Amino acid sequence: VQLQASGGGLVQPGGSLRLSCAASGSIFSINAMGWYRQAPGEQRELVASITSGGSTAYADSVKGRFTISRDIAKNTVYLQMNSLKPEDTAVYYCNADARTAIWARYTTYWGQGTLVTVSS
């Protein structure tokens, strides 16, 4: 299972970006998908997650500004980021809890990361 993240870049404070992450490979099913971020010198932290049923969870720091969604048919998760702040600058990683067969256990897979820089 491979995850390919895209959509990062440089944006001014108050701006918006939309991240995408597509899972591919030998996928039988995906349970939860999510986005994490890691700023320089900081630990990786959860930004948002979404279950296969559509339940979502957000870090307090992004509530009301970020929205996570997914297209189950495309095995893709999105992160709409609005009202971006300099403190949102980080490498953003997507992940997915997926299994490759009906008898297999769920395993967490990670994307390669995409850099988001919020600066004027």
Side-chain angles (χ1 to χ4, degrees):
V1 178
Q2 299 82 40
L3 274 69
Q4 181 68 47
S6 60
L10 173 64
V11 63
Q12 292 187 341
S16 298
L17 280 176
R18 188 189 192 213
L19 305 182
S20 299
C21 176
S24 62
S26 182
I27 299 171
F28 178 79
S29 63
I30 297 177
N31 190 5
M33 301 184 80
W35 289 95
Y36 286 69
R37 66 185 181 188
Q38 187 168 18
E42 301 291 332
Q43 290 189 333
R44 191 174 297 189
E45 64 173 359
L46 174 67
V47 176
S49 65
I50 185 167
T51 69
S52 56
S55 296
T56 58
Y58 295 92
D60 287 343
S61 59
V62 306
K63 283 181 181 177
R65 300 188 297 123
F66 291 10
T67 302
I68 189 170
S69 61
R70 67 190 282 182
D71 185 328
I72 292 178
K74 295 182 178 180
N75 289 331
T76 300
V77 64
Y78 306 96
L79 186 67
Q80 178 66 44
M81 304 185 295
N82 299 328
S83 302
L84 282 160
K85 305 175 181 180
E87 50 263 44
D88 294 318
T89 295
V91 177
Y92 283 70
Y93 299 90
C94 59
N95 76 352
D97 293 331
R99 57 177 174 169
T100 57
I102 192 169
W103 45 261
R105 298 173 63 182
Y106 280 98
T107 299
T108 300
Y109 298 88
W110 290 88
Q112 84 285 6
T114 184
L115 178 62
V116 172
T117 303
V118 184
S119 176
S120 55

